[in-house]
Amino acid sequence: MTGTGKLIRLILRRDRVIMPLWVLLFGLLPMIYLAGFDTLFASDSERIAYAEISASSGGFVALYGPLHGTSVGELTVWRGGFVPVMIGLVALLTVIRHTRADEEAGRTELIRATVVGRRAPLAAALLATAGAGAVIALLVAGSLIGSGQPAEGSVALGAVFALSTWIFAGVGAITAQLTEGGRGARLLGVLVLGVAYVLRLGGDVSEVGDGRVGWLSWLSPIGWAHRVFPYGANDWWPAALTLIVTVVTVVVAGYLQSRRDLAAGLIASRLGPATAPARLRSPFALAWRLHRGLLLGWTGGFAALGVIFGGVGTSVTEMAEKSGSIGDMVERLGGTGDVADGYFASIAGMCGLIAACYAIQAALRLRDEEQTGHAELVLTTAVSRYAWSGGHLFFALFGPAVALFAAGVTAGLAYGDPGPVLGAMLVQLPAVWVLAGLATLTTGVLPRYAAAAWGAMAVCYLILLVGATLQWSQWVLDLSPFTHVPHLPGVAFRVVPEMVLILIAAALAGVGLMTLRRRDLPV
């Protein structure tokens, strides 16, 4: 463990931009939800009606989790039911970035050549991520107590967020020992997170009905987080279970690390054929081979989200009929007077932002290929840099289009009117492409800081989520490209904003590719 403290400082320095962004975002999000609920309901009866409909709606339970109460605090916890999933994703990716990805890039070997213990890099990654989770907990508890909420419930919610960070950091530590590359470790980690979410979803939705498979939720760490019920039962047993499993994952990760060589994985990579088949003998074909798993995974996930969002549409309409304040909220978020149109406009914006995560991830594959040395090998052949980078950029633009199309079709079919919903999803593409272009630009101009593109996504997420609700200044809202997207359905489609966003995206990507063509490779 020698050198762990210095490695923690190194991690904090490397993540000095990204880590504070997601810590502040997740730490202050419950307070933002609370402020929205405080201004939403004109009376206690409206709030109770909203809670009762939400608790009995399979679509809302699938999206946010179970709701066992009607207080403002319990509604805030329920509305943030998807936050543990996002926290878990960031936590496992952070641990993998500072363990397996560093091994793959050769950094760990250089660090281990100094006076650093064998387990120090893993310990540093886990402690730094755990510390970020603890800061999130303090922000959540402090902000909610300061807003007048009960202390025990506020501390319980903060503990839920911290434990969600810790347990999936442990998951990331295990997957980092299994594969030889960071890409494989991330794929396994996200798969575990997805299975946990599906188990939670199946168990909670079952409890709304006959409850036959409600036990599935107890197989999921996300299900445990939802069963603490802050501001209600404040049940600490699921939290204790999460803590115990977290310790187990850390111990298992440490044991697995001792059983493998540096830069090797416990799951051996299969050797490929000596020569590539004809269908892979081009830069574009290679890009397809590298991106196809990502494309299929994101498309399947968006199709599933579409089914959930479409199923919730009917419940939103029913809520608006019972509460005029809810209708006003949906109208404000969606920018239209029709409740269903407003709901799908806001959902389309959220799906567009999620698709931007896919676009950024695909665009940053350029930097990943450069760091691992794969790009250098490809470019030693008769392949130009434009052909190599253009193949990856194509999937950064084409992949989100396919994913949003899948979400629009499934959401429209679940709701019963595919056309308007599909249009609302597809108009998000120019804004998605702007962020993909920004990721390409940072890769070309500032390759060492290419990951800063995720910071732009976090800013857009914050603006989309709470900007209109908290009535921020228009110039702040205009910083996000998603602000300029027509809020379909329910309003007229405008060509000019879409074309301007496309031109901006093209300019960003073009400058990024030209800079990438001229600079040294690798950096």
Side-chain angles (χ1 to χ4, degrees), residues 30 37 75 79 118 123 156 173 200 206 227 234 311 329 379 394 430 441 444 456 491 495 504 514 518:
F37 279 124
L75 285 171
R79 180 61 180 82
R118 176 183 177 88
R200 195 283 306 166
S206 175
R227 272 152 182 75
N234 290 320
M329 178 193 69
L379 295 175
F394 173 82
L441 178 67
V491 299
V495 176
I504 293 174
M514 286 189 293
R518 295 177 179 275

Side-chain angles (χ1 to χ4, degrees), residues 26 41 65 81 87 104 138 165 174 209 264 284 295 300 306 410 423 431 437 470-471 487 490 493:
F26 295 137
F41 304 107
I87 289 178
E104 187 179 18
L138 292 175
T165 307
I174 291 177
F284 181 82
L295 176 61
T410 55
L470 298 184
Q471 298 180 348
H487 291 176
F493 175 75

Side-chain angles (χ1 to χ4, degrees), residues 38-55:
D38 280 338
T39 59
L40 174 62
F41 304 107
S43 64
D44 291 341
S45 60
E46 288 186 348
R47 186 187 72 246
I48 294 172
Y50 176 90
E52 289 176 347
I53 296 174
S54 300

Side-chain angles (χ1 to χ4, degrees), residues 116-201:
V116 172
R118 176 183 177 88
R119 292 189 173 89
L122 177 61
L126 287 170
L127 290 173
T129 307
V135 174
I136 291 174
L138 292 175
L139 288 174
V140 169
S143 61
L144 292 177
I145 292 174
S147 299
Q149 294 301 304
E152 184 178 1
S154 302
V155 172
L157 181 57
V160 166
F161 284 11
L163 290 170
S164 299
T165 307
W166 298 350
I167 192 168
F168 283 104
V171 170
I174 291 177
T175 60
Q177 315 309 317
L178 299 179
T179 66
E180 293 185 1
R183 187 164 56 252
R186 288 188 288 267
L187 179 62
L188 288 176
V190 172
L191 179 61
V192 172
L193 179 64
V195 170
Y197 179 73
V198 170
L199 289 173
R200 195 283 306 166
L201 184 152

Side-chain angles (χ1 to χ4, degrees), residues 321-335:
E321 292 175 352
K322 294 186 177 183
S323 171
S325 297
I326 298 174
D328 293 340
M329 178 193 69
V330 176
E331 179 180 347
R332 183 171 66 251
L333 293 177

Side-chain angles (χ1 to χ4, degrees), residues 460-477:
C460 292
Y461 178 80
L462 188 62
I463 291 174
L464 179 68
L465 194 65
V466 301
T469 303
L470 298 184
Q471 298 180 348
W472 287 355
S473 299
Q474 187 61 43
W475 72 267
V476 177
L477 301 180

